[in-house]
Amino acid sequence: MVSYKELGLVNTREMFAKAINGGYAIPAFNFNNMEQLQAIIKASAETKSPVILQVSKGARNYANQTLLRYMAQGAVEYAKELGWEHPQICLHLDHGDTFEVCKSCVDFGFSSVMIDGSSLPYEENIALTKQVVEYAHQFDVTVEAELGVLAGVEDDVQAEESHYTKPEEVIDFATRTGCDSLAISIGTSHGAYKFKPEQCTRDPQTGKLVPPPLAFDVLDAIMEKLPGFPIVLHGSSSVPQEYVDIINSNGGNLPDAVGIPEEQLRKAAKSAVCKINIDSDSRLAFTAAVRKVFAEKPGEFDPRKYCGPARDEMTKLYKHKIIEVLGSDGKAE
């Protein structure tokens, strides 16, 4: 058993309370490798933003859970080297789908876990979430649950259609499970193809897809039912078109990739939404930078020469999200 506190990590309880009161959201960035982690910590340290390092089930399989633990510990020390005296860094399991996976992460030093029982019948979702909460809370590990289903694909998480969270269920669910935060469905979606073309309109000047707005009426109803309760938005990448264009112009094939407009995320961040998940955007930034190097320097084979620019591009992206979208800069001096 490894305590996250020994690694210098924090759970989400205090950072969420401050975010709700302060009208901003905490960035939750997924990482799979060293370059992503370096970029996340550099951006967070330079902006003094609290941050959640997210690890999916797929990332655990890819990177090895033992290495991930030490990478998180190293991230805390790296942040201090960068001048961030008191880093507020949380290590979070994204989309845990079984009690066993969540327990393993708690035991390995994660400070927060998500149990995603959203695909289960309502009562089964409650039972599974409650089981995880009862175990995690023994070690002061916070638990995120999910109610409602997001469409799209992210690692092992797949759903053809979204189902909005039912506001009438949230009080019962939160009370009976004891979860610390709740991921809801209001129209966000996993992956780089968050909407089908038929769900969108096209900008007559650019020909780019314009996605439908998020269901803020559902969010408002949930906030009315659970005032002050931490709400989470998954699938909130904006899919920057400049990255899509760089990828496509350098041998890629991402037709009609579209994400959530940043102005809608800014609006959400000022509400009870205190955690916003971003994964696909960093993948796009990384891939765009690598493809550009390969196109301009086809003889390059040193990973540092293409992973380095990718890391720099992700750092720039993360800082933009922290400052211009989420408003979390300067909240963790």
Side-chain angles (χ1 to χ4, degrees), residues 21 36 42-43 48 50 82 140 144 153 156 175 178 182 222 226 238-239 246 254 256 263 282 285 303 312 314 324:
N21 291 331
Q36 283 179 307
K42 192 167 190 291
K48 296 297 189 290
L82 292 172
D140 201 25
E144 175 186 328
V153 178
D156 297 327
T175 302
L182 187 63
I222 290 170
L226 288 175
S238 299
V239 187
I246 291 171
L254 293 173
D256 291 333
E263 61 267 22
S282 67
D312 293 343
M314 288 188 293
E324 303 295 337

Side-chain angles (χ1 to χ4, degrees), residues 274-294:
C274 58
K275 172 177 179 273
I276 292 182
N277 291 13
I278 296 168
D279 185 5
S280 295
D281 283 355
S282 67
R283 298 183 186 194
L284 291 167
F286 191 103
T287 302
V290 170
R291 280 193 176 273
K292 193 166 184 289
V293 171
F294 284 166

Side-chain angles (χ1 to χ4, degrees), residues 31 67 88 140 153 189 206 216 223 255 272 288 299 307 317 321:
F31 80 100
L67 283 175
Q88 292 182 26
D140 201 25
V153 178
S189 178
T206 65
F216 281 100
M223 290 194 298
C307 287
L317 168 76
K321 296 292 185 182

Side-chain angles (χ1 to χ4, degrees), residues 103-331:
K103 179 182 183 298
S104 174
C105 287
V106 171
D107 294 348
F108 258 79
F110 280 60
S111 56
S112 178
V113 295
M114 178 196 185
I115 179 63
D116 182 0
S118 59
S119 63
L120 300 172
Y122 181 71
E123 288 296 332
E124 290 181 29
N125 188 359
I126 286 179
L128 177 59
T129 301
K130 186 170 185 246
Q131 183 185 17
V132 172
V133 167
E134 289 176 347
Y135 184 79
H137 279 185
Q138 296 178 81
F139 308 100
D140 201 25
V141 171
T142 42
V143 178
E144 175 186 328
E146 183 164 338
L147 195 57
V149 178
L150 272 69
V153 178
E154 180 187 5
D155 287 350
D156 297 327
V157 182
Q158 299 185 36
E160 283 292 323
E161 296 181 0
S162 63
H163 300 283
Y164 286 170
T165 303
K166 298 176 182 176
E168 63 271 18
E169 292 179 345
V170 296
I171 296 177
D172 179 65
F173 186 89
T175 302
R176 289 172 62 190
T177 63
C179 63
D180 300 285
S181 60
L182 187 63
I184 63 169
S185 174
I186 60 169
T188 56
S189 178
H190 292 126
Y193 296 91
K194 298 191 181 299
F195 304 97
K196 297 175 182 176
E198 57 266 28
Q199 294 176 285
C200 306
T201 56
R202 284 197 184 270
D203 185 310
Q205 293 183 316
T206 65
K208 301 287 188 184
L209 293 176
V210 179
L214 299 179
F216 281 100
D217 57 329
V218 175
L219 174 59
D220 290 342
I222 290 170
M223 290 194 298
E224 188 177 323
K225 298 282 188 184
L226 288 175
F229 194 81
I231 301 299
V232 176
L233 282 190
H234 283 244
S236 296
S237 284
S238 299
V239 187
Q241 287 304 300
E242 62 264 33
Y243 293 145
V244 174
D245 291 343
I246 291 171
I247 291 169
N248 287 341
S249 63
N250 289 287
N253 184 26
L254 293 173
D256 291 333
V258 64
I260 309 298
E262 288 189 340
E263 61 267 22
Q264 295 196 44
L265 297 176
R266 289 189 192 97
K267 180 178 178 181
K270 290 180 170 63
S271 70
V273 173
C274 58
K275 172 177 179 273
I276 292 182
N277 291 13
I278 296 168
D279 185 5
S280 295
D281 283 355
S282 67
R283 298 183 186 194
L284 291 167
F286 191 103
T287 302
V290 170
R291 280 193 176 273
K292 193 166 184 289
V293 171
F294 284 166
E296 294 174 354
K297 301 175 181 177
E300 188 57 74
F301 66 95
D302 182 347
R304 295 170 297 182
K305 298 296 176 62
Y306 50 87
C307 287
R311 180 180 59 194
D312 293 343
E313 196 60 49
M314 288 188 293
T315 303
K316 185 173 79 173
L317 168 76
Y318 293 138
K319 290 177 78 169
H320 167 75
K321 296 292 185 182
I322 287 168
I323 297 169
E324 303 295 337
V325 182
L326 307 180
S328 61
D329 52 309
K331 303 303 191 294

